[in-house]
Amino acid sequence: MQPPPVDPACGPESDVVVRSRIRLARNLAGFPFVGRASDAQRHEIMLLVTRASQGEGLAWVNMAQTSPEERQLLVERHLVSRHFADSAVPRTVGIDPGESLSVMVNEEDHLRIQTILPGLRLEEAFTRAHAFDDAVESRVDFAFSSRWGYLTACPTNVGCGLRVGVMLHLPGLRYTGEMERVKRAAKDMHLAVRGFYGEGSEAVGNLYQVSNQVTLGFSEDDLLRRFAQETVPQLVDYERSARRLLLESNRPLLEDKVHRAVATLRAARLLGAEEATKLLANVRLGICMGLLPDLTLDMVQRLMLQVQPAHLARIDPSAADEDKGRLARATMVRKALRG
Amino acid sequence: MKCDHCDKPAVVHEVVIRNNATHEVRLCAEHAAQRGYQVPAAPVTQLLSQFAGQIPVLAASARREPAGPVRCPGCGLAFAEFRQSGVLGCPGCYEAFMPQLGAVIERAQAGAVHHAGRVPPRMEGMADRAAMRSRLLQELDAAVAAEQYERAARLRDQLQGLGGGAS
């Protein structure tokens, strides 16, 4: 197989690794956790965190002043969690201009510091999150115990409060029937494997989120090194081997999935968000396998975001209506993929 | 099943195979004792529960979590509420519920029992690392004494992470 095409906009190892994500959970000392705090305390937490973040270049969005469509837009861009978007407590999110760093205040923990970068760039993402964490910690005290580390509302995050994750595109493993074995191995390695939309969701388009489950007993460097230099490269190797196998042993199946997806997207007059994501994911596979030289990975990844409901409604306001949205989505995709 | 030597019910049933021939022995408590068999005086379930009761760790893990406070004095959260939601009320809950929570965290964190990551700048240079080290050493001794070698290896790694080796 040819080496995977490198699209600088999509980051390293982007044939398999869609994006890297780092998340740190922190709580201010002297306050109850969000779920048990009063609204007055929640407002005070927001004030203290936004003050402590001054000079860090974040734009703050008060979630109480956002519309449901705006909140959905933030979820689709992975800047806030679904739980945060749907929550009723006073809460705010700080976002940097490049949208690589976001800070949710009053999610399950007082602060959820998150960095997302395209491709496999975990170390860089961690450095960015860590720098923000340090800056805030120089101005406020975080709840910490010498035994348990950084104290979090849920004990599954206690310790470093660090979640290291990647979104992986694993069609090769899925089509060769290896995915269940990989999931079992991941479980043994204390890794969480989730679908496209997070916990409990289906892996639409063979997109999986993989992250560490253990946050205690390891240093941040150890967790990061194991995940970024051992776990992820191993999964990337498995996926590439499965794709090679597919190309050698069942090329018609692979070509059928890829070209059928392109043909459907170029011909469809009505498209749902999930169907579009599935088809675009197969186009993504075709590009990475060198089967679609006229299309670029960057363009398909942008389309995968633009077909999501709130993004589509931004591009075409009539798409807020579900039926009109299916029409608008199909029209937009046809235009983008015009051959 | 009756005893081979009287009409009382047999409590020992032994099958002996010698030179390809099978020979069965059935004995009541009295005849079994006479022939040197040790016969339990109580049902096996009762014996097991007595045995478990003599070993605190086994008894606790087999039957229930160690007893601890019902509510956190800091935020008023009941431990039962945490059990339902999985979410604690305040940082003080970790200390308040330590007896019950320790085992929960150990299970959730794949056996880890101590933080090994960064320490806030305000706590660096304080006696914390020394205290953590001394606690880890105590736990390491206990783990070795209990022949919990996997746990001991984890504790040793954590000690090494603190610097200065485990010895």
Side-chain angles (χ1 to χ4, degrees), chain A residues 225-236:
Chain A
R225 186 183 45 74
R226 280 177 194 223
F227 196 82
Q229 293 173 22
E230 293 169 23
T231 308
V232 179
Q234 209 172 4
L235 288 166
V236 169

PDB file of all heavy atoms in Angstrom, chain A residues 225-236:
ATOM      1  N   ARG A 225       2.664   9.166  27.914  1.00  0.00           N
ATOM      2  CA  ARG A 225       3.645   8.391  27.148  1.00  0.00           C
ATOM      3  C   ARG A 225       3.056   7.037  26.743  1.00  0.00           C
ATOM      4  O   ARG A 225       3.120   6.640  25.589  1.00  0.00           O
ATOM      5  CB  ARG A 225       4.916   8.194  27.989  1.00  0.00           C
ATOM      6  CG  ARG A 225       6.065   7.534  27.242  1.00  0.00           C
ATOM      7  CD  ARG A 225       7.249   7.320  28.164  1.00  0.00           C
ATOM      8  NE  ARG A 225       6.890   6.765  29.460  1.00  0.00           N
ATOM      9  CZ  ARG A 225       6.526   5.506  29.688  1.00  0.00           C
ATOM     10  NH1 ARG A 225       6.479   4.641  28.686  1.00  0.00           N
ATOM     11  NH2 ARG A 225       6.207   5.086  30.895  1.00  0.00           N
ATOM     12  N   ARG A 226       2.471   6.342  27.720  1.00  0.00           N
ATOM     13  CA  ARG A 226       1.888   5.028  27.410  1.00  0.00           C
ATOM     14  C   ARG A 226       0.844   5.132  26.315  1.00  0.00           C
ATOM     15  O   ARG A 226       0.803   4.333  25.391  1.00  0.00           O
ATOM     16  CB  ARG A 226       1.198   4.450  28.648  1.00  0.00           C
ATOM     17  CG  ARG A 226       2.152   3.813  29.615  1.00  0.00           C
ATOM     18  CD  ARG A 226       1.385   3.351  30.824  1.00  0.00           C
ATOM     19  NE  ARG A 226       2.290   3.034  31.910  1.00  0.00           N
ATOM     20  CZ  ARG A 226       2.156   1.970  32.685  1.00  0.00           C
ATOM     21  NH1 ARG A 226       1.164   1.150  32.513  1.00  0.00           N
ATOM     22  NH2 ARG A 226       3.005   1.741  33.656  1.00  0.00           N
ATOM     23  N   PHE A 227      -0.020   6.124  26.451  1.00  0.00           N
ATOM     24  CA  PHE A 227      -1.123   6.248  25.509  1.00  0.00           C
ATOM     25  C   PHE A 227      -0.642   6.710  24.130  1.00  0.00           C
ATOM     26  O   PHE A 227      -1.004   6.118  23.114  1.00  0.00           O
ATOM     27  CB  PHE A 227      -2.164   7.227  26.065  1.00  0.00           C
ATOM     28  CG  PHE A 227      -3.486   7.137  25.384  1.00  0.00           C
ATOM     29  CD1 PHE A 227      -4.397   6.161  25.742  1.00  0.00           C
ATOM     30  CD2 PHE A 227      -3.827   8.015  24.376  1.00  0.00           C
ATOM     31  CE1 PHE A 227      -5.620   6.054  25.104  1.00  0.00           C
ATOM     32  CE2 PHE A 227      -5.042   7.925  23.732  1.00  0.00           C
ATOM     33  CZ  PHE A 227      -5.946   6.945  24.100  1.00  0.00           C
ATOM     34  N   ALA A 228       0.189   7.769  24.125  1.00  0.00           N
ATOM     35  CA  ALA A 228       0.582   8.386  22.851  1.00  0.00           C
ATOM     36  C   ALA A 228       1.657   7.592  22.130  1.00  0.00           C
ATOM     37  O   ALA A 228       1.715   7.590  20.910  1.00  0.00           O
ATOM     38  CB  ALA A 228       1.073   9.813  23.094  1.00  0.00           C
ATOM     39  N   GLN A 229       2.514   6.908  22.891  1.00  0.00           N
ATOM     40  CA  GLN A 229       3.650   6.245  22.232  1.00  0.00           C
ATOM     41  C   GLN A 229       3.494   4.728  22.152  1.00  0.00           C
ATOM     42  O   GLN A 229       4.252   4.066  21.463  1.00  0.00           O
ATOM     43  CB  GLN A 229       4.945   6.601  22.962  1.00  0.00           C
ATOM     44  CG  GLN A 229       5.281   8.076  22.813  1.00  0.00           C
ATOM     45  CD  GLN A 229       6.476   8.500  23.658  1.00  0.00           C
ATOM     46  OE1 GLN A 229       7.300   7.677  24.036  1.00  0.00           O
ATOM     47  NE2 GLN A 229       6.551   9.783  23.971  1.00  0.00           N
ATOM     48  N   GLU A 230       2.557   4.173  22.917  1.00  0.00           N
ATOM     49  CA  GLU A 230       2.372   2.713  22.863  1.00  0.00           C
ATOM     50  C   GLU A 230       0.967   2.353  22.356  1.00  0.00           C
ATOM     51  O   GLU A 230       0.818   1.713  21.325  1.00  0.00           O
ATOM     52  CB  GLU A 230       2.623   2.095  24.245  1.00  0.00           C
ATOM     53  CG  GLU A 230       4.087   2.231  24.672  1.00  0.00           C
ATOM     54  CD  GLU A 230       4.327   1.879  26.130  1.00  0.00           C
ATOM     55  OE1 GLU A 230       3.525   1.133  26.715  1.00  0.00           O
ATOM     56  OE2 GLU A 230       5.327   2.376  26.681  1.00  0.00           O
ATOM     57  N   THR A 231      -0.054   2.778  23.109  1.00  0.00           N
ATOM     58  CA  THR A 231      -1.426   2.356  22.797  1.00  0.00           C
ATOM     59  C   THR A 231      -1.866   2.807  21.403  1.00  0.00           C
ATOM     60  O   THR A 231      -2.275   1.984  20.581  1.00  0.00           O
ATOM     61  CB  THR A 231      -2.408   2.910  23.848  1.00  0.00           C
ATOM     62  OG1 THR A 231      -1.924   2.557  25.131  1.00  0.00           O
ATOM     63  CG2 THR A 231      -3.800   2.375  23.651  1.00  0.00           C
ATOM     64  N   VAL A 232      -1.794   4.108  21.149  1.00  0.00           N
ATOM     65  CA  VAL A 232      -2.325   4.623  19.878  1.00  0.00           C
ATOM     66  C   VAL A 232      -1.524   4.104  18.680  1.00  0.00           C
ATOM     67  O   VAL A 232      -2.119   3.599  17.725  1.00  0.00           O
ATOM     68  CB  VAL A 232      -2.431   6.170  19.890  1.00  0.00           C
ATOM     69  CG1 VAL A 232      -2.965   6.669  18.555  1.00  0.00           C
ATOM     70  CG2 VAL A 232      -3.326   6.631  21.012  1.00  0.00           C
ATOM     71  N   PRO A 233      -0.173   4.157  18.707  1.00  0.00           N
ATOM     72  CA  PRO A 233       0.557   3.611  17.554  1.00  0.00           C
ATOM     73  C   PRO A 233       0.216   2.142  17.279  1.00  0.00           C
ATOM     74  O   PRO A 233       0.145   1.721  16.117  1.00  0.00           O
ATOM     75  CB  PRO A 233       2.025   3.769  17.953  1.00  0.00           C
ATOM     76  CG  PRO A 233       2.031   4.901  18.917  1.00  0.00           C
ATOM     77  CD  PRO A 233       0.736   4.795  19.664  1.00  0.00           C
ATOM     78  N   GLN A 234      -0.027   1.381  18.350  1.00  0.00           N
ATOM     79  CA  GLN A 234      -0.390  -0.032  18.168  1.00  0.00           C
ATOM     80  C   GLN A 234      -1.740  -0.150  17.440  1.00  0.00           C
ATOM     81  O   GLN A 234      -1.882  -0.937  16.504  1.00  0.00           O
ATOM     82  CB  GLN A 234      -0.487  -0.680  19.544  1.00  0.00           C
ATOM     83  CG  GLN A 234      -0.171  -2.144  19.523  1.00  0.00           C
ATOM     84  CD  GLN A 234      -0.087  -2.711  20.930  1.00  0.00           C
ATOM     85  OE1 GLN A 234      -0.339  -2.023  21.920  1.00  0.00           O
ATOM     86  NE2 GLN A 234       0.250  -3.973  21.024  1.00  0.00           N
ATOM     87  N   LEU A 235      -2.711   0.644  17.873  1.00  0.00           N
ATOM     88  CA  LEU A 235      -4.032   0.618  17.228  1.00  0.00           C
ATOM     89  C   LEU A 235      -3.935   1.089  15.775  1.00  0.00           C
ATOM     90  O   LEU A 235      -4.589   0.535  14.887  1.00  0.00           O
ATOM     91  CB  LEU A 235      -5.022   1.496  18.011  1.00  0.00           C
ATOM     92  CG  LEU A 235      -5.480   0.921  19.354  1.00  0.00           C
ATOM     93  CD1 LEU A 235      -6.179   1.978  20.203  1.00  0.00           C
ATOM     94  CD2 LEU A 235      -6.422  -0.264  19.143  1.00  0.00           C
ATOM     95  N   VAL A 236      -3.093   2.104  15.545  1.00  0.00           N
ATOM     96  CA  VAL A 236      -2.903   2.609  14.179  1.00  0.00           C
ATOM     97  C   VAL A 236      -2.302   1.501  13.307  1.00  0.00           C
ATOM     98  O   VAL A 236      -2.744   1.280  12.175  1.00  0.00           O
ATOM     99  CB  VAL A 236      -2.003   3.875  14.196  1.00  0.00           C
ATOM    100  CG1 VAL A 236      -1.569   4.254  12.774  1.00  0.00           C
ATOM    101  CG2 VAL A 236      -2.733   5.041  14.847  1.00  0.00           C
TER     102      VAL A 236
END
